[in-house]
Amino acid sequence: MSTSAHSSTDVMGTAGTVTDRLVEANGRYAAGFTDPGMDARPVLNVAVVACMDARLDLHAALGLKLGDCHTIRNAGGVVTDDVIRSLTISQRALGTRSVVLIHHTGCGLESLTEEFRHELEMEVGQRPAWAVEAFRDVEQDVRQSMQRVRTSPFLLHTDDVRGFVFDVTTGLVREIDPT
């Protein structure tokens, strides 16, 4: 069973690296590209924070189009200081008012622990400054992320913050009660 939608031949092509393939694909894309005439303000005034997992096609899953939202992704979709930084800019400089948080089933952070940082320190001789933010309960982590957004002093709009778990086997999102 393959873990990718593409085979290694599809990704690599006949020669070169994956990055070479991506640059070639961009050339084809740019050849037919027309400036959509948008600015950086999302049409729907929403920011979506989600996991970086390659199985999540957020635009397709949520019916979004280019320009509809700001998308902020990281490992786990966890609300970290950098996510708060991005949300603050999104709200204060670019007009977003709503925040949607999306975690998912089968997340890789469920199998890690903070021991990962220690292992990195042993390997490279320097302890990472960041936390792994691993979790065991995806619903509880969504609640924690919602709470971090709602209590941030930097965010102007914290009344429309909703959290969901995306099921990677069905494609459905399930809303998580914040309490």
Side-chain angles (χ1 to χ4, degrees), residues 30-110:
F33 184 79
T34 303
D35 180 357
M38 300 175 184
D39 67 16
R41 295 176 183 273
V43 173
L44 299 179
N45 297 324
V46 63
V48 178
V49 178
C51 186
M52 66 186 190
D53 192 294
R55 296 171 290 180
L56 278 65
D57 183 348
L58 294 174
H59 278 73
L62 301 175
L64 296 166
K65 297 181 193 113
L66 182 67
D68 280 350
C69 71
H70 284 159
T71 306
I72 304 160
R73 295 181 80 155
N74 67 17
V78 176
V79 176
T80 61
D81 286 345
D82 195 58
V83 168
I84 294 294
R85 177 187 73 88
S86 294
L87 287 172
T88 301
I89 293 166
S90 179
Q91 287 189 357
R92 292 180 176 263
L94 299 166
T96 59
R97 300 186 64 84
S98 300
V99 178
V100 173
L101 305 171
I102 300 182
H103 286 34
H104 66 91
T105 58
C107 184
L109 282 187
E110 291 175 296

Side-chain angles (χ1 to χ4, degrees), residues 3 51-56 75-77 102-112 135-139 164-170 172 174:
T3 58
C51 186
M52 66 186 190
D53 192 294
R55 296 171 290 180
L56 278 65
I102 300 182
H103 286 34
H104 66 91
T105 58
C107 184
L109 282 187
E110 291 175 296
S111 63
L112 288 177
F135 54 86
R136 294 283 178 255
D137 182 336
V138 68
E139 290 184 15
F164 300 84
V165 173
F166 176 89
D167 187 314
V168 298
T169 61
T170 68
L172 290 172
R174 178 175 40 88

Side-chain angles (χ1 to χ4, degrees), residues 16-31:
T17 67
V18 171
T19 304
D20 292 335
R21 179 198 158 272
L22 299 176
V23 171
E24 288 171 18
N26 176 255
R28 291 187 298 277
Y29 170 78

